[in-house]
């Protein structure tokens, strides 16, 4: 375990098992229809990479980047698009892969924006959902794990851009951000 991690919440083995289940469920639900998996950079990139390999169906990938004004570990709800998707979503089944659904402010905005472009459908697959943290409504069809409302790192989740590469999800030791 990394010295800055207080405890491991979800192990690499648990992640692999759950993501495989999610992929199988998604493949069954879309019944062979082509799917555009979209992720919001950067945190969701790791989850997305594993998820698409678990979906046995025709899948394309696209990326967007947004910035939410606010401090490094609290979002403000004001979202600015830094990088839009490369391709159109009109008439397509879109699945947004998200690392963690926290306040929901970011995803609420992204879902609305994509819905306005006339896709065939828009659904959300969130690797983590923080319990009791949602302040904006987001319908999440696929959830990896429910987790406590603590500051987590690993499997894509960062603190000041670090720890994304940890293969497990852990609670960051407060000494790291309290100094
Ligand atoms: P929301 O708009 O509050 O739902 O924020 C979602 C985004 O905040 C996620 O995509 C993450 O980038 C970031 N985030 C929320 N909670 C955590 C955390 O515990 N660790 C690292 N990043 C987080
Ligand atoms: Mg982040």
């Amino acid at each position: 375990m990394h010295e800055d991690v207080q405890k491991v919440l979800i192990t690499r083995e648990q992640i692999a098992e759950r993501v495989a289940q999610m992929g199988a469920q998604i493949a069954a639900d879309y019944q062979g229809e082509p799917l555009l998996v979209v992720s919001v950079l950067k945190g969701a990139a790791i989850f997305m990479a594993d998820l698409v390999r678990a979906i046995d169906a025709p899948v394309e990938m696209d990326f967007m980047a947004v910035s939410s004004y606010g401090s490094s570990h609290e979002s403000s709800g004001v979202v600015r698009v830094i990088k839009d998707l490369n391709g159109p979503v009109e008439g397509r089944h879109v699945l947004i892969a998200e690392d963690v659904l926290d306040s929901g402010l970011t995803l609420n905005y992204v879902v609305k924006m994509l819905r306005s472009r006339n896709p065939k459908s828009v659904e959300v697959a969130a690797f983590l959902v923080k319990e009791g943290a949602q302040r904006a409504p987001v319908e999440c069809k696929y959830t990896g794990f429910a987790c406590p409302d603590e500051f987590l790192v690993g499997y894509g989740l960062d603190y000041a851009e670090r720890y994304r590469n940890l293969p497990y999800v852990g609670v960051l030791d407060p000494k790291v951000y309290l100094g």
Side-chain angles (χ1 to χ4, degrees), residues 43 75 98-107 130 150-153 157-159:
S75 50
E98 177 63 320
D99 53 353
V100 51
L101 181 56
D102 184 12
S103 72
L105 293 165
T106 312
L107 260 193
K130 284 195 184 174
E150 291 181 82
F151 198 79
L152 309 175
V153 292
L157 278 67
D158 73 305
Y159 172 70

Side-chain angles (χ1 to χ4, degrees), residues 29-40:
D29 288 354
Y30 288 90
Q31 301 189 323
E33 290 208 49
L35 182 59
L36 177 67
V37 181
V38 163
S39 84
V40 178

Side-chain angles (χ1 to χ4, degrees), residues 4-17:
D4 294 344
V5 170
Q6 206 171 47
K7 78 173 179 227
V8 175
L9 271 191
I10 310 170
T11 66
R12 160 184 225 151
E13 291 76 21
Q14 289 171 318
I15 293 172
E17 188 185 343

Side-chain angles (χ1 to χ4, degrees), residues 76-96:
S76 62
V78 184
V79 176
R80 185 164 55 103
V81 177
I82 308 284
K83 182 216 168 292
D84 205 339
L85 298 176
N86 281 356
V89 304
E90 186 167 351
R92 311 188 65 183
H93 288 297
V94 177
L95 179 66
I96 303 172

